[in-house]
Every structure is written in C-alpha cells, then in structure tokens.
Amino acid sequence: MKKVAFFAMSAFALCACDKHDPILPGERVGIFATDNVRVLNTPVPGAPENVAEYEPGDCPYKLDNQNTIWNGDKKIFAGFPTNNYVRGEKNPVCDGGFVYAGLSTGELVKVNAKTRQIAWIADVYRQSNMTGGASVLDIIAPIQIHGKYVYAGGLGGAFCKISVATGNTAWCAWFGVEHPFIIANDVAYVLDTDNYLNAVRLRDGAVYWRTGVARPATPKYENKTIVVAHEKFDAESGKLLTH
C-alpha cells in the first residue's frame, strides 16, 4: 500500500491509500452500502439511569506513532510506518490473550500477544478515503470491547462494529470519531467530528437520533442524560435540557 501525503496541518498530516493492504494479502473491499447516516428520528427505548464507565483493564502494551506495538522493549507488532498521525497517547486494549490497537492508517488490528501473530485486521474508514483525495484515517478514540464485538471509530469517517472472533465488520456508521464514546446497554452515544451527538443502535448501526452540540468534548452519562461540555441532552429523546 502506498501512503501519499497531500498536505500537513499543525496537528497531523493527511494520507490516502490504494486497495492493497501492507500487512495482509488481497484487496480491500468496500464496507459501506450508503453514503448517508441512517437516522430513525425515534427515541431510545429504555435508556438506563446510569452506566458504568468503561474500564479496559490492565494492558501492559504500548502503541507508538509508527504503528508499532511494544511489550517493554520488544516488538509485538509492526504496522505500516508513516508520519501521518495525530499526536497523542493511544493505548491498546487487551482481552483474552490478544491485543487490539487502532492504527493511524485507519485499521483495527488484533494480535496474539504471545505468538505475535495477526489474528485479523479490519478497516475503519470510508471506502472513498482510499482513492478520493486527502483524508485523515487515524483511529484516536479509545476502542471498546462489548460482548462478542469490538467498537472503533476513527477520523476516516467511520464508526464500526467488528466481530471479536473473525474481524468481520457487522456495520459501520458514516461519521468520524475523535472523542471517547459511551455504550449504554444496546446503544452507543457517539460524538462525531461534525459536532453531532449520535445515539447509535448497536444491532444494526442505525441512529435513533442525532443532535448538534455547541462545543465538542468527551460525552459523559449522568442520570439518564448525556453531558457534553456544559450541555445536557436527554438520553432517550436527544432533546437539549440545559446549556
């Protein structure tokens, strides 16, 4: 795969890719059936009063800015090296003897921590970003494992549900993600890079509701409300309560 830098910004540089994966053989396959977010404009059924904050557990591995996962001074995984990344700390997640990490090349990778073998690698970005002009693909929002699936969002315009076992993509919602997101029962509350708060149905990626926020910040779940900076939104309807 060729990574081509089109222009640079103060926080990051941008890249585009062809369809050949630098790590696994074969060609990439488009994962989006539509260019639009499917918004139902219906309330979330039975939003809980509160949810526990996601705790990924202890994971001793580190991911550097060159897409290399380290166990101390030993390499566990070496991805495609690139200068096109968002500066900041990104921590892999450990589960069942495997390490999951989001790469600046827009992929989510699962690696066997002992054998260093790649279990699978999945794309987390829009198909058009591979060929259609400069775009940031970095996965900077913390990934979450929830049951049999891992959820990941990146700056390549995608928020995806991926099978832990196979790496197959169940669905992707058509928006980019920068901030950590909340999973509450069967709904993910995700602030996208266009400053919309989305209530995403985990079953199929449909969005119950989406509403604009005045200032982007990491969403918090409190007393059946979603708090973004100084604004509070009803978790069921998405209506603005205070600001």
Side-chain angles (χ1 to χ4, degrees), residues 145-223:
I145 296 174
H146 186 72
K148 297 180 180 180
Y149 294 92
V150 55
Y151 296 85
L155 296 181
F159 176 70
C160 300
K161 175 183 180 179
I162 299 164
S163 169
V164 165
T166 67
N168 291 335
T169 301
W171 51 256
C172 287
W174 191 260
F175 49 73
V177 184
E178 177 182 2
H179 294 279
F181 51 88
I182 300 164
I183 293 180
N185 293 346
D186 298 322
V187 178
Y189 294 94
V190 189
L191 181 65
D192 67 34
T193 51
D194 290 325
N195 294 341
Y196 282 92
L197 181 62
N198 300 265
V200 184
R201 187 165 64 186
L202 296 188
R203 183 175 77 245
D204 57 5
V207 176
Y208 285 110
W209 51 258
R210 68 193 312 239
T211 185
V213 303
R215 183 165 66 86
T218 298
K220 303 292 183 183
Y221 199 106
E222 299 177 0
N223 302 319

Side-chain angles (χ1 to χ4, degrees), residues 89-121:
E89 184 176 353
K90 289 176 280 187
N91 296 311
V93 172
C94 296
D95 184 73
F98 291 90
V99 184
Y100 299 78
L103 308 181
S104 65
T105 44
E107 299 124 338
L108 179 68
V109 63
K110 176 182 179 180
V111 181
N112 187 306
K114 290 185 178 180
T115 67
R116 298 186 297 175
Q117 295 297 307
I118 300 169
W120 49 254
I121 187 166

Side-chain angles (χ1 to χ4, degrees), residues 3-146:
K3 299 291 179 180
V4 182
F6 287 85
F7 58 89
M9 299 177 68
S10 60
F12 38 69
L14 309 182
C15 68
C17 320
D18 70 17
K19 291 188 176 183
H20 293 280
D21 197 294
I23 301 168
L24 297 182
E27 290 192 353
R28 300 286 179 82
V29 177
I31 54 178
F32 296 97
T34 175
D35 288 359
N36 301 312
V37 178
R38 184 158 67 99
V39 183
L40 304 175
N41 290 316
T42 59
V44 172
E49 190 68 25
N50 285 289
V51 296
E53 186 174 346
Y54 178 70
E55 295 290 345
D58 183 41
C59 191
Y61 306 99
K62 299 298 180 183
L63 176 66
D64 68 17
N65 288 324
Q66 294 300 307
N67 292 323
T68 301
I69 302 174
W70 297 87
N71 180 11
D73 59 354
K74 296 180 180 179
K75 290 183 181 180
I76 297 297
F77 166 85
F80 189 88
T82 177
N83 292 323
N84 305 322
Y85 60 85
V86 176
R87 292 179 177 86
E89 184 176 353
K90 289 176 280 187
N91 296 311
V93 172
C94 296
D95 184 73
F98 291 90
V99 184
Y100 299 78
L103 308 181
S104 65
T105 44
E107 299 124 338
L108 179 68
V109 63
K110 176 182 179 180
V111 181
N112 187 306
K114 290 185 178 180
T115 67
R116 298 186 297 175
Q117 295 297 307
I118 300 169
W120 49 254
I121 187 166
D123 293 339
V124 183
Y125 56 83
R126 298 184 191 183
Q127 182 78 359
S128 61
N129 282 339
M130 296 178 357
T131 57
S135 190
V136 181
L137 303 182
D138 207 349
I139 299 174
I140 60 175
I143 62 176
Q144 291 195 36
I145 296 174
H146 186 72

